[in-house]
Amino acid sequence: MPKTVEAVVDEHGHIRLLEPLTLHASQRVLITVLEDEPGADTRDVSEMALLSEDTLAEDWDQKEEDEAWKHLQPEQ
């Protein structure tokens, strides 16, 4: 049965698993390289959130949105 485990691949191609993995025999694997890296600087994400805030506020600050999410608000 397929199993997914998280790992880090360094610039030399060395793979370091982030959790133990026990196999009963040699196995084939697929490696997907993700865009972000563990511990990456999150300034780009924060900056993107700030830049999109005004645009998102236009959608969020509507009576229809308030009504749609009203069931999640605490009773007042």
Side-chain angles (χ1 to χ4, degrees):
M1 174 179 290
K3 177 179 174 91
T4 301
V5 295
E6 189 173 2
V8 176
V9 181
D10 69 18
E11 62 275 3
H12 303 290
H14 299 126
I15 300 171
R16 180 175 53 90
L17 298 176
L18 298 181
E19 62 185 73
L21 177 63
T22 303
L23 302 173
H24 301 293
S26 295
Q27 299 284 305
R28 295 182 321 131
V29 298
L30 300 173
I31 299 172
T32 302
V33 178
L34 304 173
E35 291 293 322
D36 62 328
E37 55 187 78
D41 189 357
T42 58
R43 283 182 292 176
D44 292 338
V45 173
S46 299
E47 185 176 325
M48 184 66 72
L50 290 173
L51 292 172
S52 61
E53 185 176 8
D54 291 338
T55 302
L56 292 172
E58 290 176 21
D59 287 334
W60 292 340
D61 292 337
Q62 295 182 17
K63 289 185 179 187
E64 293 86 1
E65 282 295 309
D66 290 342
E67 189 61 34
W69 297 99
K70 184 178 179 180
H71 68 283
L72 297 175
Q73 297 299 318
E75 294 292 326
Q76 294 185 18

